[in-house]
Amino acid sequence: MFAKRLKAEREKRKAKDPKWTQGYVADRVGVARSTYTAYEAGTKQPPMETLSKLADLFNVSTDYLHGKTNDPSPTDKKDNATNLTDEERRVLNEMKKYPVFFNDLASDPSKIKKVIKMWEFIKEDLENDDDEEPQD
């Protein structure tokens, strides 16, 4: 079921935009094209991290890809990600690149707004420090 649904999701997008080749999807999720081809052929199963990337890329749930549900809608956490601005989504995607540092934050898109607000506070504080004249 997984291989069939994975291929169907990619081909659905390819019908609208020819860039959605196996190589394109493989690049987007960070695997070799031959590895991705094996996923679609059903001869290999992706690790959880890659499965999550595939579900995010196709905007479906991992349960849908595995055939546990016929509802392709992303899970609640992914639904929260659709409420993010482009900047918040960019920050979230950057954080996902460094799971060792940001695993807890990147796994919950609702926390991104707080992270950005905190970072802006820090930048403002640093700018204020730069504006202050040194005291003798």
Side-chain angles (χ1 to χ4, degrees):
M1 180 62 75
F2 171 76
K4 181 180 173 183
R5 286 196 170 170
L6 184 63
K7 184 175 182 176
E9 287 299 317
R10 183 185 59 78
E11 288 182 341
K12 185 170 31 172
R13 281 153 185 81
K14 189 174 182 185
K16 296 177 184 176
D17 185 348
K19 74 179 179 189
W20 284 85
T21 62
Q22 289 180 335
Y24 174 78
V25 174
D27 287 344
R28 297 283 308 266
V29 297
V31 299
R33 189 195 58 74
S34 58
T35 300
Y36 179 79
T37 300
Y39 297 158
E40 280 195 8
T43 58
K44 194 175 216 180
Q45 289 292 312
M48 185 56 85
E49 182 180 339
T50 304
L51 176 63
S52 293
K53 288 178 182 179
L54 288 165
D56 287 345
L57 180 64
F58 292 123
N59 196 31
V60 297
S61 70
T62 56
D63 284 348
Y64 173 75
L65 288 176
H66 277 269
K68 293 180 182 178
T69 179
N70 288 325
D71 179 7
S73 301
T75 61
D76 288 343
K77 283 186 179 179
K78 288 183 179 71
D79 284 342
N80 288 340
T82 61
N83 295 328
L84 299 176
T85 65
D86 288 341
E87 176 66 12
E88 291 164 345
R89 193 170 287 108
R90 186 189 66 73
V91 169
L92 175 63
N93 289 332
E94 285 298 314
M95 290 171 71
K96 285 181 178 180
K97 292 178 184 178
Y98 306 99
V100 171
F101 299 109
F102 301 112
N103 189 45
D104 293 338
L105 296 173
S107 65
D108 186 353
S110 66
K111 294 179 181 177
I112 298 305
K113 292 178 189 296
K114 291 179 183 176
V115 169
I116 291 172
K117 189 180 281 188
M118 218 167 46
W119 178 245
E120 288 177 358
F121 174 80
I122 291 168
K123 284 190 331 188
E124 185 178 311
D125 189 51
L126 290 173
E127 288 170 1
N128 289 338
D129 284 349
D130 291 341
D131 291 342
E132 294 176 9
E133 293 187 26
Q135 297 179 359
D136 293 326

